[in-house]
């Protein structure tokens, strides 16, 4: 069928869901560290036993500890990235997310699927989150895939974005909570405190057409 990727859902370590459904911790995992160890080793064994496939996983939010534990994966999904399942995190938390994504994509050379579970469906929120994802695209212009969806069961008729920015010419730089990045034919500026994203092409804001970067 031409399939080359194996996706592992819900790898983020945590006993909360199991405890809620079982009414307590299962015998096999009396403490969190036991459960975390089993989940990490399961994903590692799958990765090692399927060398002809790209193994990717859902790591939920951008917790540095969680993402470092699964550094052997080929790619990951940040299911609550730059958002907190229906609420906006602080600007400081967003900068932490940005750092985790940058390490994963640009230092480790892996892909990431950034999903925004925002508290609203405003076009300005969509543009802000998309601009934030552009800050960490690899130097070849790839590595980041973006989806804006507060509810996976609904379609939001928001603009989709594709700008002919060309390739990045440098890494992003931040001054306080404002981060910028230059590209061959434009620049990106994101204000994490004001939650504003600006994508400029030759000093003109262009009309978007696609979400894939």
């Amino acid at each position: 069928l031409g399939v080359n990727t194996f996706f592992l859902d819900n790898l983020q370590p945590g006993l909360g869901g199991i405890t809620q459904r079982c009414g307590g911790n299962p015998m096999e995992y009396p403490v969190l560290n036991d459960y975390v160890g089993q989940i990490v080793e399961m994903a590692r064994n799958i990765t090692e036993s399927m060398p002809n496939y790209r193994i990717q996983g859902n790591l939920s939010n951008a917790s540095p500890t969680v993402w470092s534990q699964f550094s052997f994966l080929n790619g990951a999904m940040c299911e609550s990235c730059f958002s907190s399942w229906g609420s906006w995190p602080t600007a400081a938390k967003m900068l932490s997310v940005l750092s985790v994504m940058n390490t994963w994509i640009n230092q480790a050379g892996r892909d990431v699927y950034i999903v925004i579970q925002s508290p609203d469906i405003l076009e300005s929120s969509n543009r802000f989150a998309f601009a934030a994802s552009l800050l960490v695209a690899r130097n070849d212009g790839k590595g980041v895939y973006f989806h804006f969806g507060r509810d996976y069961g609904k379609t939001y008729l928001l603009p989709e974005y594709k700008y002919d920015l060309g390739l990045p010419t440098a890494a992003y730089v931040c001054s306080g909570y404002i981060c910028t990045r230059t590209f061959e034919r434009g620049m990106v500026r994101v204000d994490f405190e004001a939650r504003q994203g600006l994508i400029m092409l030759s000093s003109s804001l262009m009309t978007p057409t696609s979400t894939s970067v």
Side-chain angles (χ1 to χ4, degrees), residues 32 136 149:
L32 177 60
V136 292

Side-chain angles (χ1 to χ4, degrees), residues 1 8 36 77 92 98 100 109 111 123 133 136 151 156-157 180 188 207:
L1 298 175
L8 304 172
V36 170
M77 181 168 74
L98 194 70
V100 172
D111 294 341
E123 189 278 334
S133 72
V136 292
D151 185 336
Y156 296 108
L157 300 179
T180 59
V188 173
T207 302

Side-chain angles (χ1 to χ4, degrees), residues 49-62:
S49 64
M50 300 177 68
N52 296 325
Y53 290 85
R54 292 178 54 79
I55 310 300
Q56 303 183 352
N58 177 6
L59 301 184
S60 189
N61 56 36

